[in-house]
């Protein structure tokens, strides 16, 4: 009881230590590092998510912590700060409508392209992969439709700003109750149920693990570490944290890696209609490039 009261008092003290001026410094640093735009009303969010880190370090004020994270040499600690600010909530096959759009519209087009060109390769980019559920979901859907036994090559590139969630994604291990989010036919084909000391857990199988590669990348950074062109890109629930300028910059950069007839998948609260006229809505928060038809009206691919 005493320890709980002490912790509460410390947190209350820390909140008072975050003046508007200090919060503005944190806000500028976070925007500079990650493109995340914290509004004036997000001071309590900063305090609630970062206070625990101050306790871990034995610091008593947010001013002390700011002096630490602003140091150019504190790259790792700035990463920890951003880990706590970013929301990494996700689950397998999130927004089933978009996966239905993949299987009903995108995959048939890729099959038709392969029939015409003989090129049997499908590439996807999960541009904010969090703890891995999204890229592994994509891998399952893609491998089920485009098996290696039929000559297909499947690649899923997964990137995120957070080293913490990337480590969890690469481990590919979850509580077994996460299995309820995965369609049964995918679960039986690609996932492993833990036994013995791993009872109560679920792990990604080797087939999907082999086609997913992970790397740290900042969507708001000066350069993107991914290479090549992707048939479709998932960048969901990221743009909502950016200001208009950063959103426009990220979308333009994503498009440089999107195939001419590719699709960009965004989160349910996100849109490109106020950012660019080079993309048009074709499905549930799914956007395709605009193509000029015979020099006349723009149409969706």
């Amino acid at each position: 009881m005493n320890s709980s009261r002490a912790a509460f008092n410390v947190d209350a003290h820390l909140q008072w230590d975050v003046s508007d001026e200090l919060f503005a410094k944190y806000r500028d640093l976070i925007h500079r590092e990650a493109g995340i735009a914290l509004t004036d009303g997000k001071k309590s969010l900063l305090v609630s998510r970062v206070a625990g880190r101050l306790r871990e370090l034995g610091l008593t004020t947010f001013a002390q912590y700011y002096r630490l994270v602003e140091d150019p040499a504190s790259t790792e600690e700035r990463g920890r700060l951003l880990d706590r600010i970013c929301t990494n909530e996700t689950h397998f096959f999130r927004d089933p409508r978009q996966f239905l759009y993949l299987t009903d519209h995108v995959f048939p087009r890729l099959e038709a392209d392969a029939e015409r060109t003989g090129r049997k390769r499908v590439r996807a980019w999960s541009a904010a992969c969090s703890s891995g559920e999204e890229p592994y979901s994509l891998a399952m859907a893609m491998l089920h439709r485009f098996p290696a036994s039929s000559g297909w090559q499947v690649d899923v590139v997964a990137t995120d700003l957070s080293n913490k969630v990337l480590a969890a994604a690469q481990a590919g291990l979850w509580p077994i109750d996460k299995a309820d989010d995965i369609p049964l036919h995918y679960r039986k084909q690609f996932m492993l149920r833990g036994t013995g000391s791993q009872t109560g857990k679920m792990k990604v199988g080797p087939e999907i693990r082999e086609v997913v590669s992970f790397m740290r990348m900042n969507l708001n950074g000066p350069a993107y570490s991914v290479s090549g062109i992707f048939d479709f890109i998932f960048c969901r629930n990221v743009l909502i944290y950016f200001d208009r300028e950063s959103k426009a910059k990220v979308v333009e950069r994503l498009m440089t890696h999107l195939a001419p007839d590719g699709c960009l998948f965004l989160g349910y609260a996100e849109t490109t209609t106020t950012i660019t006229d080079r993309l048009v809505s074709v499905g549930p928060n799914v956007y395709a490039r605009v193509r000029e038809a015979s020099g006349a009206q723009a149409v969706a691919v």
Side-chain angles (χ1 to χ4, degrees), residues 8-152:
F8 177 82
N9 288 338
V10 168
D11 286 351
H13 174 63
L14 291 172
Q15 176 145 8
W16 285 111
D17 275 349
V18 183
S19 65
D20 290 344
E21 180 182 2
L22 179 58
F23 176 67
K25 291 181 178 179
Y26 272 103
R27 186 174 57 192
D28 291 345
L29 183 149
I30 291 166
H31 183 269
R32 183 172 66 250
E33 291 290 323
I36 298 172
L38 295 181
T39 62
D40 291 337
K42 295 296 185 180
K43 184 190 293 187
S44 60
L45 180 145
L46 174 74
V47 172
S48 63
R49 294 191 179 182
V50 181
R53 181 58 183 158
L54 271 68
R55 289 199 299 272
E56 291 171 5
L57 295 172
L59 302 178
T60 57
T61 70
F62 271 80
Q64 289 175 317
Y65 187 62
Y66 180 77
R67 287 193 291 273
L68 173 62
V69 294
E70 73 164 343
D71 185 336
S74 298
T75 304
E76 188 173 340
E77 190 58 44
R78 281 195 299 278
R80 290 195 178 99
L81 168 64
L82 297 176
D83 281 350
R84 291 174 180 258
I85 293 298
C86 296
T87 300
N88 294 304
E89 179 184 354
T90 185
H91 53 79
F92 288 101
F93 293 91
R94 188 175 188 177
D95 196 342
R97 301 171 306 156
Q98 293 190 325
F99 282 90
L100 186 63
Y101 187 88
L102 265 184
T103 58
D104 287 357
H105 298 278
V106 177
F107 288 176
R109 176 179 55 76
L110 294 173
E111 289 168 334
D113 289 347
E115 185 72 21
R116 185 181 69 257
T117 65
R119 181 181 181 273
K120 289 188 169 183
R121 186 181 184 186
V122 185
R123 299 191 79 216
W125 177 13
S126 172
C129 69
S130 188
S131 49
E133 288 88 335
E134 179 177 279
Y136 288 128
S137 296
L138 293 175
M140 283 186 263
M142 293 162 70
L143 284 172
H144 182 79
R145 187 69 167 259
F146 306 110
S149 59
S150 296
W152 286 93

Side-chain angles (χ1 to χ4, degrees), residues 9 31 34 41 43 89 114 161 172 187 189 211 228 234 272:
N9 288 338
H31 183 269
K43 184 190 293 187
E89 179 184 354
L161 175 66
R187 191 164 74 232
Q189 185 176 359
V211 304
F234 274 56
T272 67

Side-chain angles (χ1 to χ4, degrees), residues 270-285:
E270 298 168 324
T271 180
T272 67
T273 55
T274 59
I275 300 173
T276 179
D277 58 2
R278 298 175 60 202
L279 291 167
V280 63
S281 176
V282 294
N285 299 96

